[in-house]
């Protein structure tokens, strides 16, 4: 027995030693991929020293004698802190993910490779001005130097058992195309969904159920949008109210629209400079999409140029921020930037297609998709003069997307670094090669303006604004809109501007953008009214609007639910009675984490969606994965409200409108009490809890304690300025006046580094969760990294 015990202890100690050794090796490997924060680094190609001073949050101030030297250092920092993120973005754009993570990414690769952005990046790079190519070359040199200087490859590649591929100048262009997918990638599904609806709905029903505007819209050029009244059709379309197949559906619809920006003119600020605020809302993950930085170098006159804001790792420029004379920020414009053009194919020659100009022969591109630990897959892409060709239910379409056009991607946005006033900033915006965005800008003289930054289709107006599907051959836009024809609005008499992903204009100029899924407008209205109530203010007052979580729009839906839950509806139904009690007693008037009444109200609204459109969504999803009525018509809540107000006879099968509302409440109760949970515990915070994590957490859940942010409950939701979801929300909150940057405000989720052992991995995240007004500019330097010429 004693001998057995001795050997058991020896075996146990040997196992323990082995585990400790493995843990030590893993720890040393992880430590080896940490960024260098201090010291002196010899660098090829520099003309003079460059310094990178990091503050306590890891925010660098990069200073050099010229822009190319600063670009090299910026690439070095990006690579050391965020290389895996950069790699994912270029692979997403090019359709090359499977080569890194395996067969699970093949479907995504097929969808994205269809657009052949790798080939487009190569031709775009060759056509760039020499100065821009030099910038990308110096950035790539810095990236590869930063990657090579790590003592171990970034930890993600160790877990994947692979090596990172070097960065190429064209990869920075692919990073911009990745943002096209993020910001406009829904438009093809939207076109298909609206095309199906057009084919299965009368014109009168379409006008009623898919309006171009609503009473919630708050455009910049008019107080409201007054649309001609539409008659209530005598009959409903056959798809309305179809039963929902399978499990309950409708309560967890995406809350993925949320960017805001606004500005106060100098006449409305306490210091005379314009104040620009911006909170771009995106999917949230670790590492975070933005990397904060300050870039400093002398201008042509020898004066120090300082640009502060957010950079996108993979690209060598500041995306949004301030240069000391002009500040600028963006929201997604949701214009109509993609058409599906039906083409006729010759049955005897499948590559022969008919366009407005006559018959032509499509080109065929053979693409090879690499698969990690698997066999490479080839796909063939046919492309005509209008774009790549795809088949849907036996019909062929050319996909004409503005992202395919020459000039869709360029480096012109970097010219914002040197603009001195609003007019110059807007001129840069109109030539920028990027997804079309609402740009709100202001200058140190107090001027403010709105325009579209990025690539707009070359058209005067849409031939059919509501339903441009399928576009007849020859009716689609041609090329890029001339900068002189871009819509803009400057220095309004009110001294304020705002955008929130909704329709920004009420007049005919909006036709040049078109409606590509613009938001309802309630959020924009709340921002507009908040600015008006603000009067004259400073940065802190302007920042307060970003945290506005008042449920002004959903308050009306709460009243509707209370009205239907009368004595007759609750007398013999205790859960309905409890629902009513909590609507009354658990309502805070906000999307606050403790509000049960808010969550019940929201559940009721989305259950109405499920009752009316859930069956339709099943059909649209079968047509194209991800297509649904919400995508086809983000204004559906105002349509549902009109239906409940008018209660048209004969529209519902086997029940009346009151029965529909009660069915929605019962659906909400079923969902909220799943698993035996009491209805009284269904607070908004219980549902709206953070799920911000590194992508590896899905592959290796055991890593969650090290690769995820805390599970904080978030206040805020859609249809209010403080949009927040479990993995969606403000990617940054910025308020800054050009020339007054020291008074500016900034916070963002996550941190500067993507490395879990870095002190900057979640540095500043807690301030973002709490909405603290932390400084826009970096604090005192804690670390100094110096690049010196070899």
């Amino acid at each position: 027995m004693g001998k057995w015990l001795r050997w058991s202890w020896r075996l146990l100690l040997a196992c323990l030693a082995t585990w400790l050794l493995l843990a030590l090796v893993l720890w040393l490997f992880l430590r080896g991929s940490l960024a260098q924060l201090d010291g002196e680094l010899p660098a090829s190609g520099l003309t003079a020293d460059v310094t990178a001073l990091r503050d306590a949050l890891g925010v660098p101030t990069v200073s050099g004698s010229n822009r190319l030297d600063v670009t090299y250092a910026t690439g070095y920092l990006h690579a050391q802190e965020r290389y895996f993120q950069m790699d994912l973005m270029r692979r997403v754009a090019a359709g090359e993910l499977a080569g890194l993570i395996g067969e699970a990414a093949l479907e995504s690769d097929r969808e994205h490779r269809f657009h052949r952005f790798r080939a487009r990046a190569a031709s775009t790079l060759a056509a760039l001005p020499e100065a821009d190519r030099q910038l990308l070359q110096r950035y790539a040199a810095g990236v590869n130097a930063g990657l090579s200087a790590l003592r171990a490859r970034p930890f993600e590649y160790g877990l994947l058992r692979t090596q990172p591929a070097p960065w190429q100048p064209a990869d920075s262009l692919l990073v911009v195309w990745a943002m096209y997918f993020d910001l406009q990638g829904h438009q093809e599904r939207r076109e298909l969904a609206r095309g199906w609806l057009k084919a299965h709905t009368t014109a009168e029903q379409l006008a009623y159920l898919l309006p171009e505007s609503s009473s919630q819209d708050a455009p910049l050029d008019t107080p409201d949008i007054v649309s001609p009244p539409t008659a209530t059709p005598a009959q409903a379309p056959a798809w309305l109210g179809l039963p929902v197949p399978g499990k309950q559906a409708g309560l967890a619809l995406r809350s993925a629209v949320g960017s805001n920006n606004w500005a106060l003119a100098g006449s409305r600020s306490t210091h005379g400079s314009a104040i620009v605020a911006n909170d771009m809302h995106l999917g949230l993950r670790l590492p975070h999409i933005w990397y904060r930085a300050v870039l400093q170098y002398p201008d042509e006159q020898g004066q120090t140029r300082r640009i502060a804001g957010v950079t996108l790792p993979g690209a060598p420029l500041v995306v949004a921020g301030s240069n000391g004379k002009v500040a600028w920020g963006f929201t997604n414009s949701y214009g109509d930037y993609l058409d599906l053009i039906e083409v006729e194919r010759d049955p005897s020659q499948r590559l022969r297609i008919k366009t407005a100009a006559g018959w032509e022969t499509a080109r065929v591109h053979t693409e090879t998709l690499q698969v990690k630990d698997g066999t490479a897959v080839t796909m063939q892409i046919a492309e005509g003069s209008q774009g790549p060709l795809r088949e849907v239910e036996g019909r062929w379409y050319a996909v004409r997307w503005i992202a395919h056009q020459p000039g869709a991607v360029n480096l012109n946005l970097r010219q914002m670094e040197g603009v001195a006033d609003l007019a110059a900033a807007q001129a840069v915006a109109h030539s920028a090669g990027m997804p079309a965005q609402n740009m709100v800008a202001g200058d140190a003289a107090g001027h403010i303006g709105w325009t579209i930054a990025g690539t707009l289709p070359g058209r005067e107006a849409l031939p059919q604004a509501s339903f441009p599907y399928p576009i007849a051959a020859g009716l689609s836009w041609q090329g890029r809109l001339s900068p002189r024809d871009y819509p803009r609005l400057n220095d309004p008499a009110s001294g304020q501007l705002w955008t929130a992903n909704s329709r920004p204009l009420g007049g005919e100029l909006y036709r040049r953008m078109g409606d590509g899924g613009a938001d309802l407008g309630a959020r924009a209205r709340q921002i507009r009214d908040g600015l008006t109530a603000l009067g004259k203010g400073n940065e802190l007052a302007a920042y307060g609007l970003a945290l506005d979580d008042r449920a002004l729009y959903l308050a009306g839906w709460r009243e509707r639910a209370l009205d239907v839950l009368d004595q007759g509806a609750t007398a013999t139904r205790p859960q309905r009675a409890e629902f009513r009690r909590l609507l009354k007693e658990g309502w805070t008037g906000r999307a606050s984490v403790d509000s049960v009444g808010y969550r019940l109200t929201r559940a009721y609204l989305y259950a109405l969606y499920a009752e009316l459109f859930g069956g339709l969504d099943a059909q649209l999803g079968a047509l194209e994965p991800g297509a649904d009525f919400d995508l086809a018509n983000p204004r559906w809540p105002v349509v549902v409200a009109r239906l409940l107000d008018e209660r048209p006879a004969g529209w519902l099968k086997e029940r009346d409108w009151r029965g529909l509302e009660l069915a929605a409440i019962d659906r909400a109760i079923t969902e909220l009490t799943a698993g035996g949970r009491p209805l009284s515990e269904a607070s908004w915070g219980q549902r709206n809890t953070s799920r911000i994590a590194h992508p590896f957490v899905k592959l290796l859940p055991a890593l969650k304690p090290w690769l995820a942010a805390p599970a904080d409950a978030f206040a805020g939701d859609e249809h209010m300025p403080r949009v927040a979801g479990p993995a969606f929300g403000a990617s940054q909150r910025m308020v800054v006046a050009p020339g007054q940057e020291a008074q500016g405000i900034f916070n963002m989720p996550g941190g500067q580094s993507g490395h879990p052992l870095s002190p900057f991995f979640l540095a500043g995240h807690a301030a973002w969760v709490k909405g603290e007004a932390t400084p826009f500019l970096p604090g005192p330097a804690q670390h100094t990294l110096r690049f010196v010429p070899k």
Side-chain angles (χ1 to χ4, degrees):
M1 179 65 71
K3 186 176 181 181
W4 182 86
L5 285 174
R6 284 195 301 274
W7 278 105
S8 297
W9 276 107
R10 288 172 183 173
L11 182 61
L12 179 63
L13 289 172
C15 290
L16 181 61
T18 301
W19 281 108
L20 288 174
L21 180 61
L22 288 174
L24 178 62
V25 170
L26 178 61
W27 183 81
L28 289 173
F29 173 74
L30 289 174
R31 292 283 301 173
S33 59
L34 280 169
Q36 182 175 344
L37 305 181
D38 296 283
E40 190 171 281
L41 299 169
S44 299
L46 292 185
T47 60
D49 289 4
V50 180
T51 59
L53 307 178
R54 283 182 171 95
D55 72 354
L57 297 179
V59 181
T61 298
V62 184
S63 303
S65 62
N66 60 68
R67 185 62 173 93
L68 290 177
D69 285 358
V70 167
T71 298
Y72 176 93
T74 304
Y76 191 100
L77 299 180
H78 281 172
Q80 292 226 316
E81 303 278 22
R82 302 287 194 87
Y83 193 79
F84 185 71
Q85 171 195 357
M86 297 162 58
D87 193 8
L88 286 185
M89 291 191 73
R90 68 176 172 179
R91 287 176 180 271
V92 164
E96 298 171 354
L97 269 179
L100 180 66
I101 64 176
E103 190 174 353
L106 261 179
E107 197 57 40
S108 170
D109 279 0
R110 288 191 182 98
E111 179 183 348
H112 289 187
R113 186 68 69 88
F114 174 78
H115 301 280
R116 302 184 61 249
F117 285 137
R118 170 69 71 183
R120 298 182 197 278
S123 58
T124 297
L125 179 66
L128 286 178
E130 177 61 24
D132 287 349
R133 285 201 303 275
Q134 287 183 2
L135 196 78
L136 292 181
Q137 289 162 1
R138 290 305 293 156
Y139 179 77
V143 168
N144 291 324
L147 180 63
S148 298
L150 295 173
R151 288 175 291 130
R153 58 191 159 167
F155 75 93
E156 294 95 342
Y157 298 97
L159 293 174
L160 290 170
R161 296 175 289 107
T162 189
Q163 295 290 336
W167 195 259
Q168 304 295 332
D171 292 339
S172 293
L173 304 176
L174 286 171
V175 166
V176 183
W177 267 302
M179 296 307 296
Y180 269 99
F181 279 123
D182 205 10
L183 299 168
Q184 297 179 9
H186 67 286
Q187 295 213 345
E188 191 172 348
R189 297 191 300 274
R190 173 179 161 84
E191 290 283 295
L192 288 167
R194 290 172 75 84
W196 188 97
L197 290 167
K198 180 181 180 182
H200 294 82
T201 315
T202 69
E204 187 181 33
Q205 291 165 345
L206 283 174
Y208 185 94
L209 292 168
L210 285 89
E212 294 184 28
S213 60
S214 80
S215 59
Q216 292 297 317
D217 283 313
L220 296 169
D221 56 344
T222 181
D224 297 286
I225 301 176
V226 180
S227 301
T230 55
T232 304
Q235 292 182 325
W239 48 259
L240 188 79
L242 289 175
V244 181
K247 297 189 297 183
Q248 300 278 341
L251 302 191
L253 253 69
R254 57 183 175 269
S255 300
V257 179
S259 296
N260 310 306
N261 58 11
W262 57 94
L264 288 174
S267 59
R268 296 274 304 276
S269 75
T270 55
H271 43 57
S273 178
I275 297 176
V276 174
N278 189 204
D279 49 88
M280 297 180 282
H281 285 62
L282 294 165
L284 303 179
R285 58 187 180 273
L286 297 177
H288 186 47
I289 186 170
W290 304 123
Y291 183 85
R292 294 178 65 185
V294 176
L295 309 182
Q296 294 186 158
Y297 58 93
D299 62 16
E300 294 78 5
Q301 288 73 43
Q303 300 297 313
T304 299
R305 180 178 288 171
R306 181 180 71 175
I307 308 96
V310 294
T311 67
L312 178 63
L317 45 80
V318 173
V319 176
S322 176
N323 69 4
K325 297 179 180 179
V326 177
W328 70 97
F330 301 111
T331 67
N332 198 14
S333 59
Y334 283 90
D336 185 7
Y337 308 131
L338 181 147
D339 289 338
L340 294 178
I341 306 171
E342 188 168 3
V343 298
E344 180 184 346
R345 297 190 75 170
D346 185 337
S348 63
Q349 300 181 48
R350 290 178 61 81
L351 292 179
R352 193 163 178 259
I353 60 174
K354 190 175 185 180
T355 70
W359 289 94
E360 65 178 49
T361 300
R363 304 178 302 279
V364 175
H365 306 281
T366 300
E367 296 284 326
T368 301
L369 281 64
Q370 301 296 331
V371 181
K372 180 178 178 289
D373 299 330
T375 304
V377 176
T378 59
M379 63 181 291
Q380 290 190 326
I381 302 162
E383 186 170 9
S385 59
Q386 299 286 345
L389 305 174
R390 65 165 298 187
E391 182 184 14
V392 182
E393 294 189 325
R395 303 172 78 172
W396 285 88
Y397 303 96
V399 180
R400 188 161 178 77
W401 188 13
I402 195 66
H404 297 156
Q405 300 302 300
V409 172
N410 60 38
L411 295 188
N412 289 358
L413 185 65
R414 78 180 180 97
Q415 297 170 19
M416 292 292 289
E417 298 174 5
V419 297
D421 55 33
L422 176 65
Q426 291 185 337
V428 170
H430 299 157
S431 70
M434 56 183 276
Q437 302 286 289
N438 294 298
M439 187 181 85
V440 166
D443 62 25
H447 300 291
I448 59 174
W450 164 88
T451 192
I452 295 293
T455 314
L456 283 180
R459 61 188 172 209
E460 286 299 312
L462 285 166
Q464 295 171 296
S466 292
F467 297 94
Y469 167 93
I471 291 287
L475 288 181
S476 185
W477 44 269
Q478 300 296 320
R480 178 175 178 156
L481 187 69
S482 170
R484 67 175 180 273
D485 295 325
Y486 270 55
R488 72 197 81 187
L489 194 153
N490 295 336
D491 290 328
S494 63
Q496 62 186 46
L497 289 169
W498 62 92
T499 77
N501 306 127
S502 55
R503 182 172 171 170
L505 298 172
E508 284 302 309
L509 279 179
Y510 183 61
R511 302 296 187 198
R512 296 183 184 177
M513 297 171 54
D515 184 355
D519 199 17
L520 177 63
R523 177 161 46 93
R525 181 171 289 266
Q526 195 160 329
I527 294 171
R528 180 198 68 185
D529 295 347
L531 284 168
T532 302
L534 186 63
K536 196 168 186 175
N538 58 14
E539 287 85 341
L540 188 60
Y543 174 74
L545 294 176
L547 305 179
D548 183 2
D549 60 7
R550 291 174 298 154
L552 302 185
Y553 180 68
L554 254 68
W557 289 99
R558 171 177 173 265
E559 294 302 320
R560 288 181 184 276
L562 288 171
D563 288 344
V564 77
L565 287 171
D566 57 17
Q567 181 65 23
T570 59
T572 60
R573 303 290 292 270
Q575 282 191 312
R576 288 183 184 174
E578 176 71 349
F579 196 96
R580 176 180 172 82
R581 182 186 72 81
L582 292 170
L583 279 177
K584 291 179 67 68
E585 299 176 8
W587 176 258
T588 63
R590 299 177 175 274
S592 53
V593 296
D594 61 333
S595 179
V596 175
Y598 179 82
R599 188 175 180 191
L600 268 55
T601 301
R602 190 185 196 274
Y604 164 65
L605 173 59
Y606 281 97
L608 283 168
Y609 177 96
E611 293 292 328
L612 288 168
F613 311 118
L616 168 66
D617 282 356
Q619 295 196 34
L620 295 177
L623 173 74
E624 178 79 356
D628 57 28
F629 189 68
D630 179 50
L631 192 62
N633 177 28
R635 299 184 181 91
W636 64 263
V638 298
V639 174
V640 176
R642 183 175 177 184
L643 286 170
L644 295 179
D645 288 339
E646 296 179 357
R647 300 179 179 267
W651 273 52
L652 298 178
K653 304 173 183 67
E654 301 178 0
R655 59 179 168 180
D656 58 15
W657 291 100
R658 174 180 167 81
L660 173 84
E661 291 186 87
L662 290 174
I665 287 172
D666 292 340
R667 179 185 288 271
I669 290 170
T670 300
E671 175 74 14
L672 295 174
T673 58
R677 293 172 297 186
L679 202 58
S680 59
E681 293 182 7
S683 67
W684 181 238
Q686 190 266 341
R687 183 263 187 193
N688 209 37
T689 299
S690 167
R691 294 198 302 268
I692 303 174
H694 191 285
F696 271 24
V697 169
K698 290 184 178 179
L699 301 174
L700 299 168
L703 297 178
K704 186 175 181 180
W706 298 277
L707 293 179
D712 296 298
F714 292 153
D717 191 22
E718 60 183 358
H719 304 318
M720 61 188 65
R722 190 173 190 172
V723 178
F728 181 85
S731 65
Q732 43 70 251
R733 300 188 187 102
M734 175 185 82
V735 180
V736 61
Q740 308 289 330
E741 286 80 6
Q743 301 176 39
I745 296 168
F746 187 96
N747 59 52
M748 74 177 191
Q752 288 287 92
S753 175
H755 198 299
L757 296 186
S758 169
F760 311 133
F761 181 58
L762 288 172
H765 180 79
W768 172 82
V769 171
K770 298 173 185 175
E772 293 178 0
T774 48
F776 174 76
L777 292 177
Q782 304 292 315
H783 303 278
T784 301
L785 191 64
R786 189 179 305 279
F787 301 84
V788 298
K790 278 189 177 180

